[in-house]
Amino acid sequence: MQQHVIHFHPHRPAGRLARLGDRLRDHRRAILGLQWLVVLAYAVLLIGPALRPLPDETAHLWNDLTLAAQFAFWGLWWPFVLLSMVGLGRVWCGLLCPEGALTEFASRWSLGRPIPRWLRWGGWPFVAFALTTVYGQLVSVYQYPQAVLLVLGGSTVAAVGVGLVYTRGKRVWCRHLCPVNGVFGLLAKLAPLHYRADEAAWRASIGTRAASVDCAPLLPLRQLDSASACHGCGRCSGHRGAIRLEARSPNAEILERGAQDGERWQSALVIFGMIGLAMGAFEWSASPWLVAARQAIAEWLVERDILWPLDSDAPWWLLTHYPAVNDSFSWLDGALLLGWMGASMLLVGGAVAGLLALASRLLGGGRPGKAIPAFHHLSLGLVPLAGAGVFLGLSATTVTLLKGERLPLQWVSPTRATLLAAATGWSLYLAWRICGRHAATPPRRVAAWCAVLAACLLVDYGWSLWFWLW
């Protein structure tokens, strides 16, 4: 199939998107001022509620700082930051993120040490996401301001600490250790906007003087073609007449680059993190199975006079412990919660991985070396569905807070169904196209796609349990 390549020309008038990128480049001071305003708002919402008593039943979103902060963080901030990744790429990271701004600011006074090999390990995005998700559930981060200060504040302190040690003026934390870096990078693959470097224009500029670009996430600008790691800050816009902001198909990066960009840790984050673990983390509080298991185990312990697992004396920073509002986890609760999330990650993620492995083997037709690239490519095709699940899970807090204000919520259930169906359809479309790229024969393409269809239906069923069946 013939491919058309569009080259940038330094003297060609820039389009609207390119001019927008240039404006971001030329207005760095205004962007820095905006970042510090976000940092200030972040500090108020993070620290203020932790210094106040917990709200009582008369409190409302509009008259209580704790509820307002809870709604800001978990009702609006995080769900719609995720949504912005799909629509705009990682402009949140480059223009607004308080942690990114603070780690880069701290890095100006860094010790300047080189980034060690252990820090550049490719598994950190998955591990950081998993640990933060699990710990957040154990301390009820969505409900209590002290837990928010501990989890988000601890992450911010770590970001500043990394900035003070490694490189100078860069965002090493954001590139390698941020707990949501991997999720943001995956969702940004779907963005219809990205900065792209034109190789022909770059080569034509060799030998001419060009101002250096301060790329905070440390990207190789000459090969810039992905929205996954780019923070969308615009600092490189117009560099050497080769880099510009442009539009693209939302499917382009996964379809065109997924075969070579897909790798095991990205696949693990999609399948076992954003699908398996996220489902367990959001659904446990509604699961009748978990309640039945707790009751049966508690009775077994009482019959044998083993009572310490039923004690609720763990510190609040280890397990949820707020006796003033009758909300404290026992040691048994903590163990069951860990077991539930671990089982969800392994069982749901394992089932999805098994179906994708079957699909990839069908595509390869027994050809050596074909199944693994196809598996990683197919896992990237599940990003829309995985992202929709995380968004719906986070937005459940939005719904809970709005329900507390007695607002009409009849629209919630059909909206959830529509979003889940649309994301499933998007992933299935990507899977069909991906299968077409790897299939040995047309029948194998259909058979492999059916295996992906089964994986998507399994994920839909898992979310349906929480939203409609329990």
Side-chain angles (χ1 to χ4, degrees), residues 14-28 31 91 95 193-195 232-239 243-246:
R16 290 184 178 179
L17 286 177
R19 291 197 297 270
L20 175 60
D22 292 344
R23 290 192 187 98
L24 293 176
R25 177 199 63 201
D26 297 336
H27 292 84
R28 286 297 304 160
I31 291 171
V91 294
L95 303 182
L193 303 174
H194 75 148
Y195 287 87
C233 62
R235 300 183 206 186
C236 64
S237 183
H239 183 57
I243 299 179
R244 288 186 178 172
L245 179 63
E246 64 177 23

Side-chain angles (χ1 to χ4, degrees), residues 29-304:
R29 289 197 175 190
I31 291 171
L32 288 172
L34 180 61
Q35 286 177 342
W36 284 110
L37 287 176
V38 175
V39 168
L40 178 61
Y42 175 72
V44 171
L45 294 174
L46 189 66
I47 299 171
L51 303 177
R52 294 168 50 84
L54 293 174
D56 58 26
E57 62 276 4
T58 64
H60 295 281
L61 294 177
W62 58 85
N63 63 13
D64 185 86
L65 178 61
T66 300
L67 289 181
Q70 186 182 7
F71 186 70
F73 274 130
W74 309 117
L76 296 176
W77 192 318
W78 281 107
F80 289 97
V81 164
L82 288 181
L83 200 60
S84 76
M85 299 295 156
V86 178
L88 300 172
R90 299 184 63 169
V91 294
W92 163 264
C93 299
L95 303 182
L96 297 171
C97 178
E99 270 193 12
L102 288 170
T103 193
E104 185 176 353
F105 179 74
S107 187
R108 295 181 184 180
W109 294 274
S110 169
L111 298 176
R113 293 180 181 174
I115 305 172
R117 185 175 179 180
W118 67 265
L119 199 149
R120 290 183 277 114
W121 178 51
W124 282 123
F126 171 75
V127 172
F129 173 79
L131 291 178
T132 303
T133 300
V134 170
Y135 184 61
Q137 293 299 314
L138 291 175
V139 297
S140 297
V141 71
Y142 300 138
Q143 285 78 39
Y144 296 108
Q146 290 86 352
V148 176
L149 180 60
L150 180 63
V151 175
L152 297 186
S155 176
T156 302
V157 170
V160 172
V162 169
L164 289 172
V165 175
Y166 300 110
T167 71
R168 279 201 172 91
K170 305 299 181 182
R171 297 188 175 193
V172 176
W173 169 266
C174 304
R175 176 69 184 272
H176 297 290
L177 295 177
C178 173
V180 288
N181 172 51
V183 174
F184 286 175
L186 287 167
L187 295 177
K189 291 180 182 291
L190 303 172
L193 303 174
H194 75 148
Y195 287 87
R196 185 175 74 87
D198 182 83
E199 177 61 23
W202 191 288
R203 286 198 304 267
S205 73
I206 294 176
T208 62
R209 298 190 61 172
S212 61
V213 174
D214 179 22
C215 180
L218 299 162
L219 302 183
L221 296 180
R222 186 168 181 172
Q223 290 81 42
L224 186 61
D225 191 30
S226 169
S228 186
C230 175
H231 285 192
C233 62
R235 300 183 206 186
C236 64
S237 183
H239 183 57
R240 290 188 173 274
I243 299 179
R244 288 186 178 172
L245 179 63
E246 64 177 23
R248 64 176 185 175
S249 165
N251 304 315
E253 184 164 339
I254 287 179
L255 293 179
E256 301 294 334
R257 298 173 54 95
Q260 63 265 29
D261 289 353
E263 51 89 24
R264 58 178 181 171
W265 286 113
Q266 278 192 341
S267 298
L269 181 56
V270 174
I271 298 169
F272 292 97
M274 295 173 67
I275 292 176
L277 178 59
M279 192 177 293
F282 287 121
E283 291 186 348
W284 68 268
S285 61
S287 172
W289 304 335
L290 190 62
V291 172
R294 186 191 186 283
Q295 184 66 27
I297 295 173
E299 291 176 357
W300 186 89
L301 291 171
V302 170
E303 288 172 359
R304 287 154 181 80

